[in-house]
Amino acid sequence: MVGMTSAPSATAPAALSPAQQLEQNGFVRFTDVLDPVTMDTLLLRAHATLLREKEAAREAVKSNGSLIHLSDNPEYADVIGSPKIAELLREVGATDPRWTGGFLISKPAGGPPLFWHQDWWGWTEPESYDVRAHQLFVMIYLTDTTPENGCLRVIPGTHLRDHPLHHLEAAHSEGLQSFANPDAVDYAAHPDEVAVPVKAGDVLIGDSRLIHGAYANRTNEERPLLTLWYMPHWSGMSPGMRARGMENYLRRDDIHTSVARPLTPLDWTPVLRQRVEAVLPTYEDSEPPVPWHRTPDTSRLIPA
């Protein structure tokens, strides 16, 4: 199991550890983590999940392809609580990783590109400008990916450094998600972008502050992805940060749901919940959550 970046322009020296690669570039790729049987099983589950998703729901998030919350689908418990994933999180420096959510994000055949964005929500807080990440994405592509079928693309270093793409329209707006304006610069190629193709079984871990997107899927096959969100230093975070993380986990800010009270692992059967118990967040403090704020103060980032 080897941590590595994905392209010559982003390749770190061999001496760098996965944690150092994450700190330097904002992402790291681990190869051959999950075995073929596991990948086949996850792929079958994903196709079954997608069959249940309504077409209108997918159209509303056309740029993403789908945004199906994994708390509604406890059949993914084994990957959320996977000891292999926990091991990788430790390799990149996580001290107390806790899962706060995840999605099946699947780009259909002919699907458009995913807009440029970063996913961090705590930019009002001083620690958001530290080198250490407070939220990590774990991406598990269920098929081999390339720029042809919609692989990840990133702007290395933008988890810490200002970049012109920080100054675009706020991420995840309805217009961007629905691909309302295909000519918007938010979807366009950028000279700083680096493609991150992977093989099924590889795992990508990245800093939620990293600016990233995805290419269009120009093939005739679905390109499914599981994105898992972990807060890597749960017990070391401020109470307000943990409170906001709990809000995310309990889906109190989740607009992508059609049920009155969104499901969480608290609603799963005991057998399935036991599979994720070690990575579920808990909160006993009374501090209110920090504000939900996706836009960084770019004056506090490293200048472009």
Side-chain angles (χ1 to χ4, degrees):
M1 189 184 306
V2 180
M4 59 184 295
T5 47
S6 60
S9 58
T11 299
L16 289 185
S17 68
Q20 290 169 326
Q21 291 182 53
L22 177 67
E23 180 179 317
Q24 176 174 291
N25 291 326
F27 72 104
V28 60
R29 185 179 73 195
F30 294 89
T31 59
D32 300 321
V33 176
L34 301 174
D35 63 85
V37 172
T38 297
M39 296 308 299
D40 286 347
T41 301
L42 290 173
L43 183 59
L44 286 171
R45 288 180 197 168
H47 282 302
T49 305
L50 290 165
L51 281 173
R52 296 193 296 267
E53 185 75 345
K54 296 184 182 301
E55 184 178 347
R58 297 197 72 177
E59 278 295 311
V61 292
K62 189 173 183 177
S63 179
N64 308 79
S66 70
L67 277 175
I68 301 173
H69 205 294
L70 299 187
S71 287
D72 293 327
N73 297 274
E75 62 268 28
Y76 296 98
D78 51 352
V79 69
I80 293 168
S82 165
K84 289 186 177 180
I85 298 301
E87 179 186 342
L88 297 186
L89 289 168
R90 298 287 183 182
E91 284 196 46
V92 299
T95 56
D96 183 20
R98 304 299 178 99
W99 183 79
T100 57
F103 294 89
L104 170 57
I105 305 174
S106 190
K107 193 170 288 297
L114 174 63
F115 49 90
W116 290 111
H117 68 285
Q118 49 81 27
D119 288 298
W120 182 233
W121 40 258
W123 288 108
T124 58
E125 306 308 299
E127 55 261 55
S128 296
Y129 301 89
D130 294 343
V131 170
R132 187 168 84 161
H134 291 290
Q135 186 178 45
L136 297 173
F137 60 74
V138 174
M139 292 182 172
I140 304 170
Y141 286 90
L142 305 184
T143 58
D144 295 353
T145 68
T146 66
E148 181 69 16
N149 73 344
C151 76
L152 181 73
R153 54 179 176 170
V154 304
I155 310 293
T158 49
H159 57 308
L160 301 173
R161 188 183 72 248
D162 188 21
H163 191 275
L165 291 176
H166 277 120
H167 304 270
L168 297 178
E169 180 181 352
H172 304 295
S173 70
E174 290 185 9
L176 286 178
Q177 288 186 319
S178 65
F179 201 58
N181 178 14
D183 296 324
V185 68
D186 307 76
Y187 309 108
H190 194 280
D192 296 336
E193 74 182 40
V194 170
V196 191
V198 300
K199 296 289 186 182
D202 295 351
V203 173
L204 284 164
I205 295 182
D207 189 316
S208 67
R209 299 171 295 179
L210 180 70
I211 293 177
H212 62 283
Y215 295 99
N217 183 358
R218 297 187 296 273
T219 72
N220 295 321
E221 301 291 335
E222 190 93 26
R223 188 238 60 195
L225 158 70
L226 297 177
T227 296
L228 312 176
W229 289 104
Y230 295 87
M231 303 188 79
H233 309 292
W234 183 258
S235 57
M237 298 179 73
S238 69
M241 281 280 206
R242 287 200 305 274
R244 175 55 63 191
M246 283 300 296
E247 294 290 288
N248 298 346
Y249 165 63
L250 296 172
R251 302 174 68 187
R252 290 177 178 150
D253 295 310
D254 189 354
I255 64 172
H256 305 296
T257 180
S258 59
V259 294
R261 187 185 71 79
L263 296 179
T264 75
L266 298 174
D267 303 296
W268 295 359
T269 65
V271 171
L272 289 174
R273 188 178 174 199
Q274 187 176 19
R275 297 183 183 182
V276 298
E277 197 75 50
V279 293
L280 294 184
T282 58
Y283 184 72
E284 292 80 30
D285 295 306
S286 58
E287 190 81 13
V290 301
W292 177 273
H293 192 79
R294 282 192 181 273
T295 305
D297 177 355
T298 53
S299 70
R300 302 176 71 178
L301 298 173
I302 299 170

